[in-house]
Amino acid sequence: MKKVIHPNSISRILGIGLAIMLAFTSSLFAQEGADPAAGKSLFNTYCAACHHLDRKMTGPALRGVGDKHEAEWLHAWVKNSQALIKSGDEAAVKLWDEYQPNVMTAFPQLSEADIDNIIAYTMQPKEEKPAAVAGATAGTDAGANSGGVGNEIILGALILVFGVLVVMLFLVNKTLRRIAEANGVEFAAPEKRLPLWKAFVKNQFLVLVSVIFLLLSSAYFAYGYFMQVGVDQGYQPIQPIHFSHRIHAGDNGIDCKYCHSSARTSKTSGIPSLNVCMNCHKSIPEVAESTATAEHSKEFYDKEIAKLYDAVGWDVNEQSYTGETKPVKWVRIHNLPDFAYFNHSQHVTVGRIACQECHGPIQEMEIVHQEAPLTMGWCINCHRKTNVKMEGNEYYAKIHEELSKKYGVDELTAAQLGGTECAKCHY
């Protein structure tokens, strides 16, 4: 009988093979079990600031990244990219050479399952928008209207019937006159009446009342017209680049003074430079689908962002400035006459007046308009009814203490602090 030298070798080989198969199978199950929906949420939280699925931003486009790199490599890269670069990994060094000095944030808090979910989301095929959406909508509307009689048809039919009736009445009257003339019927001649204007002139009381009424009404309308000279309430110009305060100040909650920073320390609020816009829009080349409204589509907003890029000379594909800039000719909305002095810092920083007090619900405006009349009477009324905010405001502490004793009140209005003196606004 032949002796077996290694009786356990076959079982060992089978065990190793089984372990490899199980490991491979588990990795397949791990990829298949990844959740793209959870990956989308993680992508928007951790990745969307620097990455887009189909467009190069601060970092590369990530759609199909699972086909470009192994899962283990992606795990290591996401958790600590700099460590992978320092190890000399060829793919990591190549990415660093292309995108430096932008350093990818390390995410050691993400588990391998989280990263697999993100990869699964990036592997989803791109959704193609139907090209004939507008045509289909138009067809649907046409089909909806074709089922019934339109208002235009009904109105046209009524006009036609009315016209036929008028012609019939004219013909009947003409026929009756001919019959009467044939029968020798004579028509009485109409009596001559005094013209209306002559009767009006003869009535002196009516003439006097009419003249007084015309003079008073003319004076009223003339006064109203001249009082509106220089008052641009409701003025709403179209800007060269559409800027929605509803999206920025409303939906995104951006503080007014982030863009109009000089309102804190200067006489004017200032027009923010386009560099301020690029602080965010360098990484935001398009808006979310939920941003669109009935008046403005997502494509409309994306085109306005493209105008911003064209003005500052930003190349989206290369993620760099070209140096070719174009001035944007913004249209001023709020404009006081030169003889009136207004200081934003006095109201915003010292007085702590909210922007909405003068500019209205700016966070709800799609296109900004002048909410208040900005007249002298409007300003004075505000000074008379607005109490000075004293909580933690040392600017007014001393004068408030003295004047509150003088007037015998606990709170002072801006008018009691001299807010109605001529020289405050005209000097």
Side-chain angles (χ1 to χ4, degrees), residues 274-283 308-309 312 314 321:
L274 298 184
N275 290 335
V276 176
C277 305
M278 291 301 292
N279 286 341
C280 297
H281 281 288
K282 184 178 179 182
S283 302
L308 168 65
Y309 289 163
V312 299
W314 175 253
Y321 290 100

Side-chain angles (χ1 to χ4, degrees), residues 164-174:
V164 171
L165 289 174
V166 171
V167 172
M168 290 177 63
L169 288 174
F170 175 77
L171 293 175
V172 168
N173 181 54
K174 189 175 181 181

Side-chain angles (χ1 to χ4, degrees), residues 56 58-60 91-102 317-318:
K56 178 181 177 183
T58 306
V93 172
K94 183 179 179 181
L95 276 174
W96 171 248
D97 291 339
E98 183 177 356
Y99 290 94
Q100 63 175 320
N102 297 321
N317 297 323
E318 297 297 328

Side-chain angles (χ1 to χ4, degrees), residues 22-37 39 65-75 112-124:
L22 287 174
F24 179 73
T25 306
S26 64
S27 65
L28 286 178
F29 277 116
Q31 291 181 354
E32 291 178 359
D35 185 1
V65 70
D67 293 334
K68 301 175 184 177
H69 303 282
E70 297 292 334
E72 293 182 1
W73 187 93
L74 290 172
H75 293 166
E112 293 186 358
D114 291 336
I115 299 174
D116 287 336
N117 289 339
I118 296 174
I119 296 172
Y121 169 65
T122 63
M123 297 302 294
Q124 297 293 307

